[in-house]
Amino acid sequence: MSTHVTIIGAGLGGLTLARVLHVHGIPVTVHEAEASPTARAQGGLLDIHDHNGQVALKAAGLFDAFLGLVRPGGEASRALAPDGTVLLDQPDDGTGRRPEVPRGDLRRLLLDSLPAGTVRWGQKVTAVRTLDDGTHEVTFTDGTTVRTGLLVGADGAWSRVRPLLSDARPVYTGTSFVETYLFDADTRHAATARAVGDGAMFALAPGRGIQAHRENDGTLHTYVALRRSTDWFDGVDFTDPAGAAVRIAREFDGWAPELTALITEGETDPVLRPLYTLPAGHRWDRVPGVTLVGDAAHLMLPSGEGANLAMYDGAELGEAIAAHPGDIEAALTAYEEAMFPRAATEADDAAGLHTLMFGDDAPHGFLRFFTDAPTG
């Protein structure tokens, strides 16, 4: 097959697509805005699910290597009341249905599986357009361009490729996360480490919550959730990290100190993470030679599925291209016809989960969800 695939974005979705194409002998180049593989921290742990993320890794021929990255015991879950009372304590059941791995290690695994030069670093996109002959031209900040017959946007929430297909833009959901870290918690923050436990911890109330996850080396990675307007967050001076932490913690007055310590004793500057989504059921009419994967296609509320869906999209698209040699439009049609309803269902589920977590009935609906969920 002579078609060369051009991917914009070296996140997990774009890299999985590149790897599956490489496995099938299809030439591919990935253009990434970051200057190098280590230019930015890659976030915390991901739970990779057996029905999508793990399927993608098997298609990429990397499943056995992935198993070597898994953090033992990481599937444990706890729910606490604001006063610190334990409401739910589920240990890791050892089934491996959603094992935890560091995002950075998983990305490195994918990068190392590609031939040298596949990823072009420091290639930030400034413009994308369709030419008269139906090919697509991508322009980068350094003034260089690339012309391609098959362009894939794997470039996230604010995709520069998406406008070729859709006028949709991400919309603020009304909720933001504030990200913090505690290090060497078992020694330096023992009470908080005990509260979080061995895996994930959720302390939820209507319109707010503190979520933390134990990572390697006793690190506690926290996302504080607040249902507030962008104007409200504009009033928090994040250039003053200590003051910002105090202001955010004020929204949790009366909560157990071992929980609020995740905010007030944070050892990194608090980082604001507003949550945006694309319209429910986002889709587009077929445009020759271009498609999207991951958040570029179906940005939704975080639910533990985002990375899994991006990887699954990449694997499914790569398999579709391989299954339709010489007929790119058939491949893209087959991929999109399966992806659209899958993404719509997951977006609905994610919205429902956030209602359970931060809606008026929180945390009771979330506890019912957790106890009713299958464990085997």
Side-chain angles (χ1 to χ4, degrees), residues 2 13 15 21 50 57-58 114 142 164 174 203 216 227 233 251 254 260 262 264 275 294 298 305 309 321 345 361 363:
S2 60
L15 292 175
L21 292 172
D50 58 358
L57 287 164
K58 290 174 182 177
L114 297 171
D142 61 5
L164 294 181
N216 295 334
R227 186 177 293 167
F233 283 105
E251 301 302 301
T260 56
L262 290 161
T264 58
L275 303 184
H298 44 66
E305 292 291 352
L309 286 175
I321 293 170
T345 297
D361 190 40

Side-chain angles (χ1 to χ4, degrees), residues 3-375:
T3 298
H4 189 107
V5 182
T6 299
I7 302 171
I8 306 301
L12 297 179
L15 292 175
T16 301
L17 170 58
R19 168 62 184 181
V20 172
L21 292 172
H22 174 63
V23 167
H24 288 283
I26 299 169
V28 56
T29 303
V30 183
H31 299 267
E32 169 55 46
E34 293 175 7
S36 74
T38 59
R40 179 176 64 88
Q42 293 299 311
L45 292 174
L46 297 172
D47 51 327
I48 303 301
H49 301 162
D50 58 358
H51 63 281
N52 45 28
Q54 293 182 39
V55 173
L57 287 164
K58 290 174 182 177
L62 297 173
F63 184 71
D64 288 343
F66 153 77
L67 292 177
L69 305 178
V70 170
R71 179 182 175 274
E75 295 183 54
S77 298
R78 308 189 89 205
L80 305 184
D83 66 1
T85 301
V86 177
L87 304 175
L88 174 76
D89 193 354
Q90 289 187 345
D92 186 335
D93 64 8
T95 62
R97 293 181 63 247
R98 49 182 184 87
E100 302 276 354
V101 299
R103 179 188 286 268
D105 290 353
L106 183 56
R107 189 192 195 207
R108 192 174 307 111
L109 173 66
L110 288 162
L111 284 169
D112 290 347
S113 74
L114 297 171
T118 299
V119 180
R120 310 284 174 85
W121 300 96
Q123 296 262 275
K124 185 176 181 179
V125 176
T126 59
V128 181
R129 64 181 182 131
T130 301
L131 303 177
D132 291 341
D133 64 357
T135 61
H136 308 286
E137 181 185 77
V138 183
T139 303
F140 303 101
T141 51
D142 61 5
T144 62
T145 62
V146 64
R147 184 173 174 176
T148 181
L150 179 48
L151 177 64
V152 180
D155 48 343
W158 305 99
S159 171
R160 300 302 296 264
V161 179
R162 188 191 301 125
L164 294 181
L165 296 161
S166 167
D167 294 331
R169 290 183 58 80
V171 175
Y172 180 57
T173 62
T175 298
S176 291
F177 287 169
V178 178
E179 184 181 19
T180 66
Y181 285 85
L182 295 183
F183 302 120
D184 192 18
D186 294 307
T187 300
R188 301 169 61 191
H189 310 280
T192 298
R194 288 193 297 270
V196 172
D198 293 331
M201 183 279 295
F202 306 87
L204 308 173
R208 54 187 173 158
I210 299 174
Q211 309 158 80
H213 206 294
R214 178 181 290 271
E215 299 184 355
N216 295 334
D217 303 319
T219 295
L220 302 181
H221 185 185
T222 300
Y223 285 103
V224 179
L226 283 173
R227 186 177 293 167
R228 299 288 187 273
S229 68
T230 54
D231 288 344
W232 189 91
F233 283 105
D234 287 343
V236 180
D237 183 5
F238 283 91
T239 66
D240 173 14
V246 169
R247 180 66 190 90
I248 297 300
R250 197 181 305 160
E251 301 302 301
F252 297 87
D253 281 349
W255 287 44
E258 62 269 29
L259 296 176
T260 56
L262 290 161
I263 309 168
T264 58
E265 297 181 23
E267 294 168 295
T268 57
D269 293 350
V271 177
L272 180 63
R273 306 286 189 195
L275 303 184
Y276 287 82
T277 63
L278 285 167
H282 177 240
R283 59 190 302 147
W284 54 86
D285 295 330
R286 176 92 293 283
V287 173
V290 60
T291 194
L292 307 171
V293 300
D295 285 350
H298 44 66
L299 179 66
M300 61 188 70
L301 285 163
S303 64
E305 292 291 352
N308 287 281
L309 286 175
M311 294 169 65
Y312 192 74
D313 285 352
E316 290 289 282
L317 177 56
E319 297 281 10
I321 293 170
H324 296 83
D327 193 346
I328 288 301
E329 286 311 296
L332 299 187
T333 297
Y335 160 70
E336 290 177 355
E337 286 182 349
M339 182 268 290
F340 288 142
R342 175 175 71 241
T345 297
E346 293 290 357
D348 287 345
D349 289 348
L353 178 60
H354 271 245
T355 297
L356 294 177
M357 294 178 71
F358 309 116
D360 293 341
D361 190 40
H364 307 295
F366 179 74
L367 291 171
R368 289 192 295 271
F369 166 82
F370 234 93
T371 54
D372 290 346
T375 58

